[in-house]
Amino acid sequence: MSKIDFTVNGARHVVEADDDTPLLWLIRDNLGLTGTKFGCGVGVCGACTVLENGKAVRACQIPASEASSRSFVTIEGLSPDVSNPCQRAWLQEEVAQCGYCQAGMIMTACGLLQQNPDPSDEVIANVMSDSVCRCGTYSRIRKAIQRAANEMRTKKP
Amino acid sequence: MITSRRAFLKTAALSGASLVIGFDGGRLLQATAAGVAGSFQPNGWVCINSDGSVVLTIGKCEMGQGVRTSLAMILAEELEANWTRIKLLQAKPSADSDLGTGGSDSMASSWKPLRQAGAAAREMLITAAATRWKVDRDSCKAVDGAVEHRASGRHLDYGSLVADAAKVQLPQNPPLKNATDFKIIGHRTARIDGPEVVSGKARYGIDVKIPGMLYASLERPPFLGAKVKNLQEDKARAVSGVKSIIKLPRGIAVVANSTWGAIKGRAALAVEWSEPPRDAFDSDAHWKKLETASRETGFVTRKEERPPGTGAITKTIEATYYYPFYAHAPIETMNCVADVREKRCTIWAPTQAPERLQKQVAQLLGIAPADVDVNITLIGGGFGRRLAVDYALEAADISRAAKAPIQILWSRADDMKQGHFQAASVHYLSAEFDAHGAPVAWKHTKAGSFHNISPLDPKEMRDAAWYQDWSWGCYDVPYAFPAIQTAYVAVDLPVKHGPWRSVFAPSSVFARECFIDEVAQVRRADPLAFRLEMLKGTDVIKAGSTTVDRKRLRRVLETVRDKSGWTGTSISQGRGRGIACNAYSGRTYIAYVVDVSVDHENNIHVDRVIAAVDCGLVVNPVGVEQQMEGGIIWGISSALKGEITFHGGTAQQSSFADFAVARMRDTPAMEIHIVHSDAPQPFGMGEPPVPPIVPAIANAVFAATGTRIRRVPVRPEQLKQRVA
């Protein structure tokens, strides 16, 4: 057991955990932030995606020992009022069906748009194809990302 | 939020401050201070509170089909409620409730009772207002959560009327609105729980946390009869957070104070299982068994014969189709929270079958079903998997032994290997032609398996209707062959299997819709025109126990023909176009035109899908589109991605790496056309989009490559080498 000192959604947390505990379970069990989902535990479905410095990372693949002194944003920390451009685009395009994978999808999309504010359809498909939605919402996810990208670009001075 | 009837009514009807109307199959019930105790046992109810809020308690579970939104829309329409004031609660099962969600039945079965409940409340509120104003009730109108009296300009919010309205006699047959007056039904409506989903606040089964809860992971026997040879109990106990190791007939559970502790503890057990016997279940052997069975006569589910003396048969074609095992693979793996106490138990479960769960948990614990309190959570993908209750039985078993509330969570590998799989089937089809080349006879025998999510009732009459229930899409062939024979051969399947989105239809519709193309090919006919030709004659036909309206089926075919610019199946080198259609339970009619391209390594990509759907009266067009899109993606997974195979009694796949599913790069351009329907009521949309998509893809692959696809998922090596 070690003391893990890390930041989530701007708040600093110190938790006791085994070094190999995945960040996913620190977030869900220790911090009680259940918006970040478990889907596969081996980094192939994307359900547990969170942001670190604007980059999408898989919370199930980061052991506690490597999480210390790092700062992450989960779906709960994206906005206090569903005002993040991706969240709004997700609602406008009526993306979600069961909704379980969508937190991971939104975080992946946020990461993509931070790196590339004007992604082509091909780039969107490449990046988003690392994530699985069994309800089959992909076409709406694509449209929502395009909508969010447009909105973010037009808002910039 | 979840509520029980008792708790709810205490704060609602009994206080006299709300109007509460319950509904079940065919009647309305009013909860009043006097009549609530024993008689008020509805499947759902609506409560209008003195603050004007409308709380709808529904039995149907939300697993992505949008049922919370569409049911609320139906109620709000008749109630003339303010849409923004509607809240939803989840009902709980009881001895005589019927809350199961499956069979694409929620809309069809809830349509009338919800409308009646809404209309009854509306009429009672109008009567209350008219009485208070001392005016003729016909001069009052309900609008947007209030009653108004135009002549005098008076206006009362529902909230201020509920106390009086609750004293008005409940009308059993209130007047329902005309469809032409609908303001909510049929209009694009945003999902009621959308903001919760995109903010991470939506709570699924996995998100349930209760005080004192421990976490469990279960190592299950990998095959039927597997015995533990060796395990490292001490090593598991040494893992931090591990509280106990519990040996049960269903497996070895590790209970810990964190999810990770349970996962790690289970891995540390390093259980060595006995070797499977030589005759352990193997899918290759099962395919041979199914193939042999498909040649038997089986139980004849439908037989129509040609009038005698109508000409000799001069040509026969036959083909065998293979449909494999698939996992459901919802992203939320199986999980359940159980808190077993002395003589009672509380369950929180993402379940489609709350009554089955309640009964089976009660049986396991030896207590009365009424003492099993079942809380239905949001579901992160159902697809039929959660009609089985195995994961809840595990949770109850472990909680009882651990003497603590526990949450069981399945790993992805558990979910893949311990599924209630879509059962493989083999279909043997033949068609006969007369001397003029006219197709005159159709035969389709399905060799497959039932389900084992719960024991079959041995007392049930195993008649034609019973067998038809296991072979949708086979016996209800809609095409006008003078002679038709369909049959079912049951083959034992010693692994877990059960309903999978569309249940028994996908395999049969795959075989039927591909083989009808083969018949068309003999006729040198365009497959779309041939279908329309074969759907002429009597419009409404009785096909076994199902009624099929060929006019509705023709209309969806004509729609995709026109919208796709259909000129035949060829597009260009390496590309092809396919067609397929289906009438789901005679209720929802769907046709697809699919364009595929095949590259030089025989990789197939679905480029475009043009779809037409007639699902009866449309409640929420957004929901219909979503289900169509999702069904198409589901079908692309089945046609081109992963399957489950067995060796040594064990499923060989364990993740999305070896059981691949469609991803964004596999997503085609999609156009969904909702066809105007003559049907006066809505039908289901969860399952119907699935069956016809796989054959439409297979037929397009034939058009592109010249190889008939009689087995899915299609593998590149199945295709004839194309001339470069």
Side-chain angles (χ1 to χ4, degrees):
Chain A
M1 294 286 263
S2 309
K3 272 202 163 58
I4 318 294
D5 183 341
F6 65 126
T7 301
V8 174
N9 301 334
R12 198 177 145 198
H13 298 272
V14 181
V15 302
E16 288 257 327
D18 268 6
D19 283 348
D20 57 359
T21 309
L23 173 65
L24 169 64
W25 301 113
L26 299 182
I27 290 172
R28 286 184 56 87
D29 288 356
N30 295 67
L31 308 189
L33 295 171
T34 54
T36 306
K37 298 298 192 230
F38 165 76
C40 71
V42 294
V44 299
C45 83
C48 67
T49 304
V50 296
L51 291 175
E52 181 184 19
N53 297 324
K55 268 184 81 172
V57 294
R58 301 262 156 112
C60 77
Q61 296 299 295
I62 299 174
S65 58
E66 291 172 21
S68 261
S69 71
R70 287 162 71 176
S71 177
F72 304 96
V73 175
T74 70
I75 187 81
E76 291 92 342
L78 213 47
S79 74
D81 52 1
V82 201
S83 61
N84 176 282
C86 281
Q87 287 174 314
R88 288 177 21 186
W90 246 249
L91 290 176
Q92 282 157 337
E93 293 295 341
E94 284 291 338
V95 172
Q97 288 184 35
C98 88
Y100 188 82
C101 72
Q102 298 300 345
M105 293 288 183
I106 290 172
M107 301 313 272
T108 308
C110 287
L112 164 63
L113 294 179
Q114 292 256 357
Q115 313 294 315
N116 182 349
D118 189 14
S120 65
D121 276 4
E122 202 187 339
V123 167
I124 294 173
N126 275 339
V127 171
M128 299 309 293
S129 286
D130 285 341
S131 297
V132 181
C133 168
R134 193 64 165 138
C135 296
T137 62
Y138 301 125
S139 62
R140 286 172 191 265
I141 292 175
R142 181 163 51 206
K143 283 186 211 146
I145 293 174
Q146 287 158 344
R147 179 189 277 268
N150 270 331
E151 189 188 311
M152 287 161 76
R153 282 199 308 275
T154 49
K155 266 197 178 162
K156 275 183 187 154
Chain B
M1 207 181 134
I2 294 158
T3 188
S4 76
R5 222 166 257 143
R6 212 175 303 127
F8 170 79
L9 291 170
K10 211 177 279 174
T11 56
L14 296 182
S15 67
S18 301
L19 172 60
V20 184
I21 296 172
F23 42 90
D24 61 7
R27 60 201 175 120
L28 297 177
L29 304 153
Q30 189 183 356
T32 61
V36 87
S39 58
F40 191 72
Q41 294 285 320
N43 284 322
W45 61 88
V46 55
C47 173
I48 304 153
N49 294 311
S50 55
D51 67 355
S53 65
V54 175
V55 181
L56 174 62
T57 302
I58 59 162
K60 298 296 174 190
C61 67
E62 181 62 76
M63 49 188 163
Q65 79 281 43
V67 76
R68 289 165 69 84
T69 306
S70 43
L71 293 182
M73 288 171 71
I74 297 172
L75 176 91
E77 180 71 65
E78 288 291 347
L79 182 57
E80 300 289 359
N82 179 330
W83 178 248
T84 61
R85 301 302 306 276
I86 302 226
K87 293 191 191 107
L88 281 166
L89 292 178
Q90 193 76 42
K92 291 182 175 204
S94 64
D96 49 4
S97 67
D98 179 18
L99 312 182
T101 309
S104 300
D105 193 42
S106 296
M107 281 299 108
S109 65
S110 305
W111 171 246
K112 198 174 161 204
L114 268 172
R115 287 185 75 193
Q116 285 182 326
R122 176 195 72 216
E123 293 303 304
M124 292 161 87
L125 288 156
I126 290 175
T127 301
T131 308
R132 195 178 297 178
W133 292 327
K134 298 192 176 63
V135 298
D136 181 6
R137 79 180 295 291
D138 289 344
S139 64
C140 301
K141 210 178 157 199
V143 184
D144 199 25
V147 182
E148 59 180 36
H149 183 248
R150 269 229 183 118
S152 62
R154 278 176 294 186
H155 180 276
L156 278 171
D157 185 84
Y158 280 175
S160 59
L161 288 167
V162 290
D164 289 355
K167 293 176 197 124
V168 175
Q169 170 84 33
L170 173 74
Q172 274 302 329
N173 286 302
L176 301 180
K177 288 174 75 172
N178 286 322
T180 46
D181 296 330
F182 286 164
K183 294 195 287 276
I184 298 173
I185 291 172
H187 295 265
R188 303 182 72 84
T189 304
R191 282 279 286 275
I192 215 160
D193 32 19
E196 275 79 51
V197 166
V198 302
S199 59
K201 291 195 185 99
R203 294 290 165 119
Y204 300 82
I206 195 177
D207 303 325
V208 172
K209 299 213 185 284
I210 60 167
M213 184 179 95
L214 298 174
Y215 300 81
S217 186
L218 183 68
E219 173 78 17
R220 299 167 190 81
F223 57 90
L224 209 64
K227 299 269 179 293
V228 175
K229 268 171 67 185
N230 203 2
L231 82 171
Q232 312 282 328
E233 217 172 314
D234 292 345
K235 285 198 176 149
R237 240 178 260 285
V239 170
S240 55
V242 169
K243 297 271 188 189
S244 59
I245 290 154
I246 297 165
K247 290 176 186 159
L248 297 164
R250 63 179 86 244
I252 304 143
V254 175
V255 177
N257 63 6
S258 68
T259 307
W260 184 243
I263 293 171
K264 209 175 151 185
R266 175 179 165 196
L269 278 176
V271 181
E272 274 179 58
W273 293 95
S274 55
E275 289 298 312
R278 278 187 176 196
D279 62 350
F281 185 69
D282 183 286
S283 35
D284 284 344
H286 190 65
W287 281 123
K288 292 199 180 77
K289 223 170 149 181
L290 288 169
E291 215 167 49
T292 307
S294 72
R295 265 53 180 180
E296 292 173 19
T297 308
F299 190 100
V300 175
T301 48
R302 181 175 167 197
K303 194 174 179 78
E304 285 159 22
E305 284 172 294
R306 292 171 74 202
T310 41
I313 301 302
T314 57
K315 184 179 173 73
T316 303
I317 61 165
E318 54 174 38
T320 308
Y321 283 82
Y322 303 81
Y323 199 76
F325 293 96
Y326 293 115
H328 300 76
I331 310 300
E332 183 190 21
T333 58
M334 297 306 108
N335 65 79
C336 180
V337 172
D339 185 3
V340 177
R341 303 289 171 105
E342 187 72 23
K343 298 275 168 217
R344 67 190 165 88
C345 170
T346 311
I347 298 274
W348 290 261
T351 178
Q352 295 177 249
E355 283 89 6
R356 177 178 297 138
L357 190 153
Q358 189 179 41
K359 272 188 208 117
Q360 293 197 14
V361 168
Q363 199 173 19
L364 171 81
L365 299 174
I367 59 176
D371 294 322
V372 179
D373 181 19
V374 179
N375 302 284
I376 306 165
T377 69
L378 284 181
I379 300 179
F383 315 121
R385 175 63 181 88
R386 286 168 161 111
L387 286 165
V389 300
D390 45 351
Y391 52 100
L393 295 172
E394 292 176 355
D397 222 356
I398 297 167
S399 171
R400 172 169 59 179
K403 296 188 168 44
I406 63 101
Q407 177 181 61
I408 189 164
L409 174 63
W410 291 31
S411 71
R412 176 55 56 192
D414 294 339
D415 213 78
M416 291 280 180
K417 289 185 179 297
Q418 302 280 338
H420 264 283
F421 303 100
Q422 131 75 36
S425 58
V426 170
H427 301 250
Y428 176 55
L429 295 98
S430 65
E432 296 173 345
F433 301 80
D434 68 11
H436 308 288
V440 292
W442 172 272
K443 259 191 194 178
H444 181 170
T445 304
K446 173 175 185 172
S449 308
F450 306 140
H451 72 70
N452 56 14
I453 56 168
S454 59
L456 298 181
D457 183 355
K459 280 178 284 185
E460 244 179 345
M461 257 273 275
R462 301 207 166 184
D463 55 6
W466 191 84
Y467 277 98
Q468 284 168 10
D469 248 3
W470 305 101
S471 55
W472 319 337
C474 172
Y475 75 88
D476 53 351
V477 50
Y479 301 116
F481 288 90
I484 288 173
Q485 180 174 316
T486 61
Y488 188 85
V489 185
V491 176
D492 276 349
L493 180 55
V495 291
K496 292 197 293 182
H497 55 292
W500 178 91
R501 196 171 183 178
S502 301
V503 199
F504 304 109
S507 64
S508 301
V509 174
F510 164 58
R512 185 194 80 208
E513 288 297 303
C514 286
F515 194 62
I516 197 76
D517 265 38
E518 299 200 39
V519 177
Q521 192 188 0
V522 171
R523 294 286 289 160
R524 294 199 180 83
D526 173 87
L528 203 162
F530 181 68
R531 278 176 176 77
L532 289 171
E533 189 64 32
M534 294 298 281
L535 290 169
K536 280 189 181 159
T538 317
D539 276 347
V540 178
I541 58 156
K542 194 89 182 122
S545 53
T546 297
T547 304
V548 176
D549 186 343
R550 287 178 175 153
K551 187 164 91 258
R552 292 176 70 197
L553 197 50
R554 287 199 305 270
R555 208 182 285 160
V556 289
L557 281 166
E558 287 157 359
T559 303
V560 290
R561 178 193 62 197
D562 298 344
K563 299 289 182 184
S564 68
W566 179 276
T567 53
T569 58
S570 50
I571 306 175
S572 60
Q573 173 75 18
R575 297 186 68 212
R577 187 162 286 168
I579 173 83
C581 64
N582 189 43
Y584 195 82
S585 306
R587 292 172 148 193
T588 296
Y589 294 73
I590 289 172
Y592 294 116
V593 165
V594 167
D595 295 357
V596 303
S597 52
V598 182
D599 70 15
H600 289 290
E601 284 160 348
N602 281 347
N603 295 305
I604 298 159
H605 189 269
V606 178
D607 300 328
R608 187 184 77 152
V609 178
I610 306 295
V613 53
D614 169 358
C615 58
L617 188 143
V618 173
V619 175
N620 189 358
V622 180
V624 172
E625 289 167 4
Q626 287 179 322
Q627 291 308 303
M628 288 295 290
E629 292 160 7
I632 290 167
I633 299 296
W634 187 269
I636 291 173
S637 293
S638 333
L640 305 176
K641 301 294 173 180
E643 69 178 303
I644 296 290
T645 56
F646 292 86
H647 188 64
T650 308
Q652 299 297 287
Q653 290 70 26
S654 59
S655 78
F656 289 117
D658 48 13
F659 179 79
V661 296
R663 296 183 182 237
M664 190 184 281
R665 68 167 70 91
D666 306 302
T667 302
M670 291 183 271
E671 265 180 41
I672 314 298
H673 298 279
I674 299 176
V675 174
H676 175 76
S677 184
D678 305 326
Q681 69 157 100
F683 300 115
M685 275 305 299
E687 298 168 309
V690 170
I693 185 68
V694 169
I697 294 170
N699 289 334
V701 173
F702 171 74
T705 65
T707 306
R708 280 285 169 206
I709 302 303
R710 299 195 183 100
R711 182 191 286 270
V712 284
V714 190
R715 299 292 175 224
E717 55 274 19
Q718 246 170 286
L719 304 180
K720 284 177 196 156
Q721 285 294 312
R722 293 206 341 266
V723 185

